[in-house]
Amino acid sequence: MTTFHFLKIWPEHYQDVISGMKRAELRKNDRDYSVGDSLMLKEYQPKNGNFTGSEVHVVVTHITDVSDWLPGYVMLSVGLLARGRS
């Protein structure tokens, strides 16, 4: 079953995702991610703790288990679907 996840993303990484340069997300595997899952990456300002209102919708196309190097983490390959205000 496909799941929809809402996740924070910092501004410098957000820009790289929407430009198509960044096609992978290193994430803690605390949500049981699966290929086909949708991620709504919401741009977040860590300095002031606020969301900017910009968001990008991506789909998980591949999952690499990196737990040998980072226990509990996965590398999610993603494909761009749509973006909101930016």
Side-chain angles (χ1 to χ4, degrees):
M1 179 192 330
T2 300
T3 304
F4 204 88
H5 305 276
F6 292 89
L7 302 169
K8 296 176 185 173
I9 186 169
W10 290 14
E12 59 270 24
H13 303 298
Y14 176 82
Q15 292 302 319
D16 289 341
V17 170
I18 64 170
S19 75
M21 289 179 55
K22 185 175 190 301
R23 297 185 197 119
E25 280 289 309
L26 179 65
R27 294 286 176 159
K28 187 169 189 171
N29 195 15
D30 58 354
R31 296 172 181 247
D32 196 26
Y33 296 106
S34 296
V35 170
D37 282 0
S38 291
L39 309 180
M40 183 59 73
L41 303 175
K42 301 174 79 58
E43 188 178 29
Y44 179 77
Q45 292 283 354
K47 292 180 183 176
N48 63 21
N50 293 320
F51 290 96
T52 67
S54 296
E55 55 192 29
V56 61
H57 183 191
V58 299
V59 63
V60 176
T61 59
H62 184 266
I63 301 173
T64 302
D65 181 2
V66 296
S67 61
D68 284 348
W69 302 278
L70 287 168
Y73 282 79
V74 290
M75 180 66 72
L76 305 174
S77 297
V78 297
L80 185 64
L81 292 177
R83 83 174 178 199
R85 189 186 88 191
S86 59

